[in-house]
Amino acid sequence: MKLSGRFAPARLLRRPASDGPGDGAPSVHQQWHQQWQQLTLERHLRAVWSQRWLVLALVLLGGAGAGLASAQQEPMYRADAQLFFAPNFTTRDIGQLNEGGNYILQRVRSYAEVGNSPEVAEAVVRRLGLPYQPSELTQRVTVTGAAGTAVLTVEVRDPDPVRARDIANAIAAEFPAYVARLEKPTGIDESPVKVSVTRPATTPSAPATPQVAADTGLGVAGGLAIGVLVAVVRYARDRTVRDESHAAEVAGTVLLGAVAAGGGRPPLVTGDDPEPRVEAFRQIRANLRLRAAGHRFASLTVTGSVPGEEKTATAANIAIAFARAGEPVVLIDADVRDPGVHRLFDVPNTVGLTSVLLGEVAAEQATHRHPDLPLYVLPAGPAGPGPSEQLLASDALAPALESMRLSGRFVVVDAPSLLSDAETLLLASATDATLLVARVGFTRADQLAAAADVLRALPVNLVGLVATRRGAAMRRGR
């Protein structure tokens, strides 16, 4: 469908202006703020993906650090012996057996506390001739008992596997005599408690620590957890629009396309090769046509919320995309304070829009024809004698735009950023539709929401949004 003819400003794609604060309806920015206060699973995943290189770095750092630290540890071997405690008396009376069993269960908990005593350690050191002091040995021994059982486990850790086994067996051998001295009543030769070794220690075949693979896995898991936490926190605290869908959500409008800008590429898209940026602007052109289905418009204002969003290159490439489709297009640089169109197309800026509005030349005399396309470029021209808003508010602006529309050309206006130049509202009101540009990772969400709210508060047709991103591929617009 060819985009030409008169635009119907009262009906085309206009969203109702949001109600004022007095009626209790939240603004678009308030709605966005409420929605993004709680991160959903999808947004958690989006946060991790947006910070994926940081997360990956922390994962690698955590795994490598834990693995290196584990590999540098001294290998420690673990050997354990098992002891069983029973009443040391002979009887066939069931009641006495039960009382003796309960007595043992109560005492076993005490044996676990005193099992690693200096007295036992000193006896083991003498017995084996160990190179440790008793206090050093006790730090390598752990005595534990399972609740409700008469079993104790003596666990020994040592750099030498044979020595670990011998220490565990020596403690098991010395412990019965130690218990007998504790439990033997005065005047009785035998202890009421019998200690038996039910499982002697054996020589361990592999060190218990370090476990390099397991420690590396824990380091990776820790790095991943920290990375995800950092990514989510950074994502939640980021005030800029994070991706193209977020930009459209904040602006409260549809996403017409997403393009990569900068990154060493020339600002203007040239050629018909299948390069992603070429296809992106074709998609934007198609989406503009779909948005205008059933209506006809002949002029489009391209603007952003703040400078630096690649709006000038976006406006120029949209004009080129329509010209490549065979439509005559006029690209007007209305950013008279910071003109940039003449630099993109390498045309002089000595005569331009300001010259036309001042009545110095006709619009046709100030335009420059593209050598290969039905594209006409009207640069901003030299600064006028008065403020730019007075010049754009003059009675000459509407007739100039009307003459270009009546010539059958589609008019694309590169307007100043909304939040820095008030004259953009004059241009948006004088054209048939307005397109917002936002730069991912640069435009603040509150700035974009404010710009969209300003446009919706005026009789302006906001047709959608184009998202740009520096030096990176982006998903196609919908």
Side-chain angles (χ1 to χ4, degrees):
M1 180 184 70
K2 187 174 181 179
L3 298 178
S4 60
R6 185 61 184 161
F7 181 72
R11 296 189 302 273
L12 174 63
L13 307 174
R14 178 179 298 162
R15 290 182 49 172
S18 49
D19 297 331
D23 62 0
S27 66
V28 172
H29 178 55
Q30 290 172 331
Q31 293 174 7
W32 167 84
H33 183 70
Q34 293 169 0
Q35 292 169 356
W36 283 79
Q37 274 187 323
Q38 295 182 347
L39 287 175
T40 63
L41 175 61
E42 178 185 358
R43 287 166 182 163
H44 274 91
L45 296 176
R46 190 184 300 172
V48 174
W49 179 251
S50 67
Q51 304 286 332
R52 57 190 177 278
W53 299 118
L54 173 63
V55 174
L56 179 61
L58 290 174
V59 167
L60 294 177
L61 182 62
L68 182 61
S70 180
Q72 291 179 339
Q73 293 179 13
E74 181 183 26
M76 298 294 289
Y77 293 84
R78 181 179 64 196
D80 56 79
Q82 190 178 83
L83 304 175
F84 180 77
F85 296 79
N88 189 22
F89 58 87
T90 303
T91 182
R92 295 182 180 181
D93 190 316
I94 300 298
Q96 291 184 352
L97 290 175
N98 286 335
E99 290 179 2
N102 291 331
Y103 174 80
I104 293 297
L105 291 178
Q106 294 175 1
R107 303 298 282 176
V108 163
R109 286 177 290 184
S110 301
Y111 300 151
E113 296 294 331
V114 301
N116 194 17
S117 68
E119 182 179 341
V120 175
E122 184 176 358
V124 171
V125 169
R126 288 197 306 268
R127 180 171 183 165
L128 299 178
L130 297 176
Y132 305 135
Q133 294 295 326
S135 59
E136 294 176 322
L137 179 60
T138 57
Q139 296 177 2
R140 299 175 181 270
V141 179
T142 304
V143 181
T144 57
T149 68
V151 176
L152 287 185
T153 300
V154 178
E155 180 183 289
V156 178
R157 291 176 178 263
D158 195 90
D160 187 332
V162 175
R163 189 163 58 199
R165 177 203 63 192
D166 292 344
I167 293 174
N169 287 330
I171 292 175
E174 292 288 341
F175 202 66
Y178 178 67
V179 171
R181 287 194 295 274
L182 292 177
E183 295 287 357
K184 187 171 65 173
T186 304
I188 299 179
D189 295 333
E190 292 186 354
S191 169
V193 178
K194 179 182 179 181
V195 183
S196 304
V197 179
T198 56
R199 188 183 67 208
T202 58
T203 305
S205 59
T209 59
Q211 297 181 348
V212 178
D215 292 342
T216 301
L218 290 175
V220 168
L224 178 61
I226 295 174
V228 169
L229 178 62
V230 171
V232 170
V233 170
R234 291 185 64 176
Y235 189 75
R237 296 184 63 182
D238 187 5
R239 299 178 63 190
T240 65
V241 291
R242 305 170 181 106
D243 52 46
E244 55 271 29
S245 60
H246 181 205
E249 182 181 359
V250 170
T253 187
V254 296
L255 180 69
L256 299 182
V259 296
R265 301 183 181 90
L268 295 183
V269 174
T270 59
D272 292 323
D273 57 280
E275 197 261 333
R277 280 205 306 159
V278 175
E279 180 60 28
F281 283 104
R282 288 177 185 155
Q283 186 70 44
I284 293 170
R285 181 186 65 200
N287 285 336
L288 282 170
R289 285 174 168 168
L290 289 173
R291 293 286 288 170
H295 305 275
R296 308 177 75 184
F297 70 97
S299 58
L300 174 71
T301 292
V302 179
T303 185
S305 54
V306 292
E309 297 173 314
E310 309 287 344
K311 67 167 182 62
T312 298
T314 301
N317 285 317
I318 289 175
I320 291 174
F322 277 98
R324 287 193 180 280
E327 242 183 280
V329 182
V330 177
L331 174 62
I332 301 175
D333 188 350
D335 194 350
V336 296
R337 293 180 181 175
D338 185 22
V341 170
H342 67 284
R343 288 190 290 269
L344 292 179
F345 289 91
D346 195 21
V347 297
N349 195 39
T350 54
V351 178
L353 177 63
T354 57
S355 307
V356 174
L357 296 180
L358 291 172
E360 298 175 353
V361 296
E364 292 294 331
Q365 297 174 323
T367 57
H368 301 268
R369 171 72 187 265
H370 192 281
D372 303 318
L373 299 172
L375 174 62
Y376 301 84
V377 177
L378 178 60
S388 58
E389 59 265 25
Q390 292 183 6
L391 192 61
L392 294 176
S394 67
D395 295 336
L397 177 63
L401 294 176
E402 186 67 19
S403 66
M404 296 178 191
R405 284 197 292 252
L406 293 176
S407 67
R409 299 170 186 170
F410 180 56
V411 179
V412 178
V413 179
D414 174 30
S417 301
L418 269 166
L419 301 184
S420 59
D421 293 276
E423 56 267 28
T424 302
L425 300 178
L426 303 173
L427 292 165
S429 299
T431 53
D432 300 331
T434 300
L435 176 69
L436 265 177
V437 177
R439 182 172 148 194
V440 172
F442 176 82
T443 305
R444 287 201 340 235
D446 58 333
Q447 293 171 334
L448 179 57
D453 286 342
V454 168
L455 290 175
R456 270 188 288 270
L458 297 173
V460 171
N461 293 282
L462 178 58
V463 293
L465 176 135
V466 170
T468 64
R469 187 193 294 268
R470 279 278 183 174
M474 300 181 70
R475 298 194 297 270
R476 294 180 182 177
R478 58 175 184 264

